[in-house]
Amino acid sequence: MDIQPFLDRRARLIASMDSAGGGVAILPTATEKTRNRDATYPYRADSYFHYLTGFDEPEAVLVLIAGQVDAGPKTILFCRDRDPDKEIWDGYRYGPEGAQQTFGFDEAHSIAALDEMLPGLIANQPALWHSLGFEPEWDARIGRALTAVRAQSRAGKRPPTSVHDLRAALDEMRLIKDGHEIALMRRAADIAAAAHRRAMREARPGRHEYEIEAEFLHEFRRQGSQFPAYTTIVASGPGACVLHYVNNDRQMQDGELLLIDAGCELDGYASDITRTFPVNGRFSGPQEDVYELVEAAQAAAIAAIKPGAHFMAPHEAAVKVLAQGMIDLKLLHGSVDAVIESEAYKRFYMHRTSHWLGMDVHDVGEYKTGDEWRVLAPGMVLTVEPGCYIRPADDVPAAFHNIGIRIEDDALVTPDGCEILTTAAPKSIADIEALMAEAKS
Ligand code: GLY
Ligand code: MN
Ligand code: MN
């Protein structure tokens, strides 16, 4: 494993702590979660913790000391000890010594020593870098360490006088992806795109949504992805108009559309792709009309992604195209400006066009700076996912009932505009129909 990206990130965080007056940062990883009785959910490290360490065992804490004080700068890992008996059951543990060497920390200690060492680590530091309010147990644990420091005031020990939000500092770093992250996101996008191609080949009337979900899980794991990045949505017929449909248990019928929103996680990084296609491999006239509208809205949104544009520019571009199209299809009446002003379009397009993408599918990073939408910059990754969802209603032309379409790709902001990472998933009607026809022949 190449630890350099993780060493670089720790150094950059310490540099930004230094420029804010220094201090000590404390970052625990995620805890194991019970699913039922003694069975646990598959373990996944905390995103921030993985970002800075690459170390994915549970029961670990990272302590970073900035450069202002004698002891700094220093990186310290607390982790589980080696345990030959437990390792027979659950597998290898690095232990502090192995983790220090493999992952490049200045020091490593047993997690069992943390509470005893914590007061000494925070004493006389100018600031504590910790995110309050996320994990009550950690707030209490740090509170106990502060109390222990105060008890030593006559020995010249004093607690930090300020607290900085550690996650806020890391969110800014995570918003701009480095080369290591972009390489992983490209691969996560490729794997998910391959799975979408597989789904297009396997879908047909009479099969169940879960059979298609199984194709995704198979392709993800086959290519080394550890997990789906979020619960896979395989929504046929009316389910396509339910934004977070996850039952995936319906038998798909001839003439219906199938909306699939599925992405994988690779070494901590997500892809997020939606494709919508006909179960029988041929778009009907009304399906084609709405599909081409959403495709045009997406093209307009993608054209709006470039450095200097603000975060909502792609959404505004998509809404303009969708609003005009909804009027043309007689789903709405009036002028484009009126439909946008009154937000009448939200009846058929009720979500935003983009979100940040990274380690978390809805990734961290502020969407606004003060009152202004964030300005896009190279290295940011965002989704572009316009849609149109037409539920049956008396005032809606019957031909469009239950047509739900979303097209979602992942865009990396580049110096000149953006690069779509997910182009390997077929998108045009011609490409989708050709792939599905080929699979049947
Ligand atoms: N799959 C979640 C989303 O598209 O935002
Ligand atoms: Mn998305
Ligand atoms: Mn999605």
Side-chain angles (χ1 to χ4, degrees), residues 31-84:
T31 49
E32 287 177 291
K33 304 276 189 304
T34 302
R35 183 176 183 277
N36 55 306
R37 195 158 162 84
D38 61 350
T40 53
Y41 285 102
Y43 181 72
R44 185 199 186 265
D46 173 74
S47 295
Y48 296 99
F49 188 86
H50 177 86
Y51 179 75
L52 290 175
T53 65
F55 181 75
D56 288 345
E57 289 185 18
E59 297 179 70
V61 175
L62 176 67
V63 175
L64 297 178
I65 298 174
Q68 262 75 5
V69 292
D70 290 347
K74 195 186 273 185
T75 64
I76 309 171
L77 180 78
F78 290 84
C79 68
R80 302 183 301 193
D81 289 309
R82 299 288 315 261
D83 185 331

Side-chain angles (χ1 to χ4, degrees), residues 230 261-262 272-274 355 361 385 406 408:
Y230 51 90
D261 186 341
D272 184 6
I273 303 179
T274 308
H355 55 78
V361 65
E385 49 180 305
R406 178 162 66 253
E408 175 174 29

